[in-house]
Amino acid sequence: QVQLVESGGGLVQAGGSLRLSCAASGRTFSTYTMGWFRQAPGKEREVVATISWSGDNTYYRDSVKGRFTISRDNAKNTVYLQMNSLKPEDTAVYYCAAGREGLYSYWGQGTQVTVSS
């Protein structure tokens, strides 16, 4: 069983920054691909960024490229999402997820990110 707990969300003005953290349980953390997803009211959940088990391979959706950075510290069982130059359209509940082979089977409870204009 893997449990994920997000933290670091909050209210920030447009142009500001937030750093999200996701703490994971279990000794097998390093074998998982980790991802950050988000869901705004009335919209489908969408992938924000992912990172491979080694940390050497990352993916970002086009709208966050150059602004967000995903990273992981396997020794701490933690994945991060550094969000800079935030825009109102980034407002959503952000979820941390872990998975293998393209399937994310473990999810955190979510943390609210609100960006005011």
Side-chain angles (χ1 to χ4, degrees):
Q1 181 69 29
V2 175
Q3 293 189 113
L4 306 173
V5 180
E6 303 99 329
S7 62
L11 175 65
V12 65
Q13 290 186 316
S17 298
L18 285 173
R19 181 178 173 87
L20 305 184
S21 298
C22 174
S25 66
R27 294 183 177 182
T28 59
F29 173 79
S30 64
T31 71
Y32 288 90
T33 295
M34 301 296 297
W36 286 97
F37 296 75
R38 67 187 182 187
Q39 187 169 26
K43 296 184 178 181
E44 296 295 314
R45 186 172 298 183
E46 62 184 23
V47 64
V48 178
T50 65
I51 186 167
S52 64
W53 67 269
S54 67
D56 293 332
N57 210 285
T58 58
Y59 163 84
Y60 301 91
R61 70 180 304 108
D62 287 344
S63 62
V64 308
K65 287 181 178 177
R67 300 189 297 121
F68 291 10
T69 302
I70 188 171
S71 61
R72 67 190 298 164
D73 186 338
N74 290 341
K76 296 181 178 179
N77 286 354
T78 303
V79 63
Y80 306 94
L81 185 68
Q82 178 67 46
M83 304 185 294
N84 298 326
S85 302
L86 283 161
K87 304 175 180 179
E89 51 262 46
D90 295 319
T91 295
V93 176
Y94 283 70
Y95 297 90
C96 173
R100 295 190 180 102
E101 302 175 355
L103 176 63
Y104 289 91
S105 53
Y106 301 99
W107 294 81
Q109 82 287 351
T111 185
Q112 177 71 46
V113 172
T114 302
V115 184
S116 62
S117 59

PDB file of all heavy atoms in Angstrom, residues 9 14 38 45 58 62 99:
ATOM      1  N   GLY A   9      -0.083  23.939  -1.223  1.00  0.00           N
ATOM      2  CA  GLY A   9      -1.040  24.737  -1.959  1.00  0.00           C
ATOM      3  C   GLY A   9      -1.429  25.982  -1.194  1.00  0.00           C
ATOM      4  O   GLY A   9      -1.111  26.142  -0.015  1.00  0.00           O
ATOM      5  N   ALA A  14      -1.227  36.414  -9.365  1.00  0.00           N
ATOM      6  CA  ALA A  14      -0.658  36.111 -10.673  1.00  0.00           C
ATOM      7  C   ALA A  14       0.787  36.592 -10.738  1.00  0.00           C
ATOM      8  O   ALA A  14       1.109  37.699 -10.291  1.00  0.00           O
ATOM      9  CB  ALA A  14      -1.484  36.762 -11.773  1.00  0.00           C
ATOM     10  N   ARG A  38      -4.073  18.049 -12.260  1.00  0.00           N
ATOM     11  CA  ARG A  38      -4.904  19.102 -11.698  1.00  0.00           C
ATOM     12  C   ARG A  38      -6.310  19.027 -12.278  1.00  0.00           C
ATOM     13  O   ARG A  38      -6.526  18.526 -13.374  1.00  0.00           O
ATOM     14  CB  ARG A  38      -4.298  20.486 -11.945  1.00  0.00           C
ATOM     15  CG  ARG A  38      -4.262  20.918 -13.404  1.00  0.00           C
ATOM     16  CD  ARG A  38      -3.482  22.223 -13.545  1.00  0.00           C
ATOM     17  NE  ARG A  38      -3.460  22.698 -14.915  1.00  0.00           N
ATOM     18  CZ  ARG A  38      -2.745  23.731 -15.332  1.00  0.00           C
ATOM     19  NH1 ARG A  38      -1.975  24.408 -14.469  1.00  0.00           N
ATOM     20  NH2 ARG A  38      -2.778  24.110 -16.605  1.00  0.00           N
ATOM     21  N   ARG A  45      -9.876  16.194 -15.239  1.00  0.00           N
ATOM     22  CA  ARG A  45      -8.546  16.144 -14.671  1.00  0.00           C
ATOM     23  C   ARG A  45      -7.517  16.040 -15.794  1.00  0.00           C
ATOM     24  O   ARG A  45      -7.711  15.298 -16.765  1.00  0.00           O
ATOM     25  CB  ARG A  45      -8.427  14.955 -13.722  1.00  0.00           C
ATOM     26  CG  ARG A  45      -7.113  14.890 -12.972  1.00  0.00           C
ATOM     27  CD  ARG A  45      -7.147  13.796 -11.916  1.00  0.00           C
ATOM     28  NE  ARG A  45      -8.170  14.062 -10.921  1.00  0.00           N
ATOM     29  CZ  ARG A  45      -8.388  13.300  -9.850  1.00  0.00           C
ATOM     30  NH1 ARG A  45      -7.641  12.219  -9.641  1.00  0.00           N
ATOM     31  NH2 ARG A  45      -9.343  13.601  -8.999  1.00  0.00           N
ATOM     32  N   THR A  58      11.387  13.685 -17.861  1.00  0.00           N
ATOM     33  CA  THR A  58      10.249  14.474 -17.407  1.00  0.00           C
ATOM     34  C   THR A  58       9.356  14.859 -18.574  1.00  0.00           C
ATOM     35  O   THR A  58       9.788  14.904 -19.723  1.00  0.00           O
ATOM     36  CB  THR A  58      10.697  15.752 -16.682  1.00  0.00           C
ATOM     37  OG1 THR A  58      11.514  16.535 -17.562  1.00  0.00           O
ATOM     38  CG2 THR A  58      11.482  15.415 -15.431  1.00  0.00           C
ATOM     39  N   ASP A  62       2.078  21.577 -22.450  1.00  0.00           N
ATOM     40  CA  ASP A  62       2.596  22.770 -23.107  1.00  0.00           C
ATOM     41  C   ASP A  62       2.350  24.051 -22.313  1.00  0.00           C
ATOM     42  O   ASP A  62       3.203  24.946 -22.285  1.00  0.00           O
ATOM     43  CB  ASP A  62       1.983  22.919 -24.500  1.00  0.00           C
ATOM     44  CG  ASP A  62       2.531  21.919 -25.493  1.00  0.00           C
ATOM     45  OD1 ASP A  62       3.586  21.318 -25.219  1.00  0.00           O
ATOM     46  OD2 ASP A  62       1.902  21.741 -26.549  1.00  0.00           O
ATOM     47  N   GLY A  99       2.546   5.592 -10.198  1.00  0.00           N
ATOM     48  CA  GLY A  99       2.125   4.475 -11.009  1.00  0.00           C
ATOM     49  C   GLY A  99       3.254   3.805 -11.755  1.00  0.00           C
ATOM     50  O   GLY A  99       4.414   4.208 -11.664  1.00  0.00           O
TER      51      GLY A  99
END
